[in-house]
Amino acid sequence: MCTVLFSSFTTKPNPPAKEPVKLGFIPLTDCSPIVMAKELGLFAKYGVEVVVTKETSWANVRDKILTGELDGAHCLYTMPFSVYTGVGGKAGSEMKIAMMLNENGQAITLSNDFCGKVGFKQMNKVTPVVAAKLKAEKEVTFAMTFPGGTHDLWLRNWMSLAGLNQKAVKIITIPPPQMVANMKVGNMDGYCVGEPWGGVAVKQGIGFTQIATQDIWKDHPEKALVVNKEFSESRREDLKKVMKAILEACIWLDNPANRKKAAAIIGKAPYVNAPADVIEGRLMGDYNLGCNQGTEVYDNDYMLFYKGGTVNYPRKSYAIWAMAQYVRFGYLKEEPNYKAIADKLILQDLYEEVAKSMKIKIPTDDMKPFSLTMDKTVFNPSNPSAYLKVVKH
């Protein structure tokens, strides 16, 4: 017979290990801050375990963030506003913006049918060529990646700048990594998406770059770290660690000397799965335009991830601008409560806390009027209604 003796004193059980933070990304060059934070060991440096997963579409990212299957993701900065207002999801569903990841670096790609008829930044030639194509083929199709997403807004702004009636053409939704394959089989005449899928179309000889989005709006906001509402509240300290790691990755990425290494890593199959030379070229601002148009070199307005902290600050004015576009382009029949939605969905206080702890400067330009590079209509975030009365539709 064996007697078990229990100690007269008790020891505290070890606390259960926290679940790893689950972050998703779409295969695009601007997923680099999350991927490189993982690859450089920065999440581990800040004491948080992160699992990074490749997702298939923006709708998939939206659904997984809302259900909590993902704690956060590399995401179109406009998606939380699109979803909340009912443009791209169930109205009232909350996704939170913790910080911005990058600016610039998307493009409008046209099929070879337009080659020789519309050149780089030749906005005045787009509509006549589309009109002729409509007459001959009855339908012209352009693709973007998510209703109310950034690529959707850049495409519609491009059409407005070109004087193209948006109701005359068909606009479809295609996930970013599927753009090139769809153009190859003739499913669309043009598309707006992030790199490297503009550059890949050029490399494969199936399309050309008509304009980069930074030509439409220099230093425009693009992707954000978007998180699940409950995660942002219940694991705030872990979120702060994640943000610190990503901010350090953004600083690393903005050093040109590191971009070749980044291109080689994110080009691998588990990540973007695209040629490293295409990723690197456009990361460095060296754009082979295709269609015998030569090369365009961007020296201070290519894809940026940090820029002294000006990139990463989540501005409410940009949220208000995006929602004004929904009204402008007919997604919303009435203007939403812009400020209340921006206040609800942007974790500006959290970002400021993290940035200050890292001695990163907080920009002071939020809520000041601004205009795009090509469309000079002044947008005052305190009075979107005035903008909507004068801007071209």
Side-chain angles (χ1 to χ4, degrees):
M1 184 176 176
C2 177
T3 303
V4 179
L5 298 176
F6 289 93
S7 171
S8 59
F9 60 89
T10 59
T11 57
K12 287 184 179 179
N14 290 324
K18 279 187 178 177
E19 284 282 311
V21 175
K22 301 180 292 292
L23 297 182
F25 69 91
I26 291 288
L28 290 161
T29 301
D30 52 27
C31 74
S32 295
I34 287 175
V35 170
M36 294 313 302
K38 180 74 172 177
E39 288 281 341
L40 295 169
L42 298 174
F43 292 127
K45 172 184 172 179
Y46 286 98
V48 61
E49 184 183 354
V50 173
V51 174
V52 173
T53 61
K54 179 155 72 171
E55 304 301 329
T56 56
S57 70
W58 291 122
N60 184 242
V61 167
R62 171 201 61 200
D63 294 345
K64 287 186 175 183
I65 290 177
L66 288 173
T67 61
E69 190 174 337
L70 286 174
D71 297 309
H74 150 254
C75 201
L76 305 159
Y77 100 86
T78 54
M79 188 191 285
F81 314 110
S82 173
V83 172
Y84 190 84
T85 57
V87 171
K90 184 182 175 185
S93 302
E94 293 183 35
M95 304 161 73
K96 305 282 191 174
I97 292 183
M99 61 177 283
M100 298 296 296
L101 298 177
N102 77 295
E103 59 190 28
N104 303 326
Q106 324 297 298
I108 305 280
T109 300
L110 296 181
S111 73
N112 285 336
D113 287 353
F114 290 84
C115 183
K117 301 170 186 173
V118 180
F120 181 63
K121 293 200 287 190
Q122 290 181 339
M123 304 303 289
N124 62 326
K125 294 190 176 182
V126 173
T127 295
V129 176
V130 169
K133 200 168 171 59
L134 279 169
K135 193 173 182 181
E137 301 174 19
K138 307 302 181 195
E139 190 171 83
V140 171
T141 302
F142 292 108
M144 49 76 182
T145 63
F146 186 82
T150 53
H151 304 130
D152 186 15
L153 298 187
W154 311 146
L155 179 68
R156 291 175 191 275
N157 271 270
W158 172 78
M159 290 182 182
S160 176
L161 288 162
L164 183 58
N165 181 353
Q166 295 174 36
K167 292 180 180 175
V169 301
K170 186 177 179 183
I171 299 176
I172 61 175
T173 303
I174 300 286
Q178 295 176 27
M179 286 291 190
V180 174
N182 274 274
M183 182 173 275
K184 193 177 284 186
V185 297
N187 287 347
M188 82 272 275
D189 299 282
Y191 59 77
C192 182
V193 73
E195 295 302 342
W197 306 117
V200 170
V202 170
K203 185 179 177 77
Q204 293 189 8
I206 61 164
F208 65 96
T209 299
Q210 197 278 327
I211 199 167
T213 51
Q214 56 264 36
D215 296 311
I216 297 171
W217 180 4
K218 183 182 176 183
D219 296 342
H220 67 77
E222 185 51 46
K223 300 301 190 300
L225 174 64
V226 173
V227 295
N228 170 272
K229 179 176 184 283
E230 185 186 353
F231 171 75
S232 72
E233 294 167 351
S234 65
R235 297 182 66 180
R236 183 181 171 95
E237 292 306 310
D238 284 337
L239 176 53
K240 283 158 64 175
K241 292 173 184 176
V242 166
M243 291 167 69
K244 288 175 182 178
I246 292 174
L247 275 165
E248 189 167 325
C250 288
I251 294 168
W252 184 88
L253 282 160
D254 258 14
N255 180 343
N258 292 329
R259 293 201 169 193
K260 186 180 183 73
K261 180 179 179 182
I265 291 171
I266 68 168
K268 292 177 181 176
Y271 298 128
V272 178
N273 194 23
D277 63 325
V278 176
I279 296 172
E280 182 187 343
R282 298 212 166 184
L283 260 181
M284 299 302 291
D286 191 3
Y287 281 50
N288 175 7
L289 299 173
C291 185
N292 301 310
Q293 296 183 110
T295 300
E296 179 76 6
V297 177
Y298 294 90
D299 58 3
N300 67 349
D301 55 354
Y302 45 28
M303 190 178 290
L304 297 169
F305 299 95
Y306 180 62
K307 201 178 177 183
T310 61
V311 170
N312 310 105
Y313 188 57
R315 292 166 177 81
K316 294 178 181 179
S317 55
Y318 292 164
I320 295 167
W321 179 87
M323 288 184 277
Q325 304 306 302
Y326 302 159
V327 180
R328 175 189 180 189
F329 295 126
Y331 276 129
L332 297 178
K333 291 180 180 175
E334 295 179 355
E335 291 185 75
N337 189 335
Y338 299 103
K339 188 176 184 304
I341 297 170
D343 288 344
K344 182 187 285 283
L345 301 183
I346 299 177
L347 303 175
Q348 210 170 66
D349 289 349
L350 177 67
Y351 176 80
E352 289 176 4
E353 183 183 337
V354 170
K356 285 172 184 172
S357 75
M358 297 178 74
K359 295 182 170 55
I360 292 172
K361 189 177 178 182
I362 307 292
T364 58
D365 60 349
D366 196 13
M367 297 305 290
K368 291 182 180 177
F370 62 87
S371 58
L372 277 57
T373 308
M374 283 193 169
D375 180 357
K376 302 296 185 184
T377 310
V378 175
F379 181 78
N380 183 348
S382 298
N383 189 2
S385 301
Y387 161 86
L388 288 169
K389 287 175 183 173
V390 297
V391 72
K392 283 201 306 179
H393 292 257

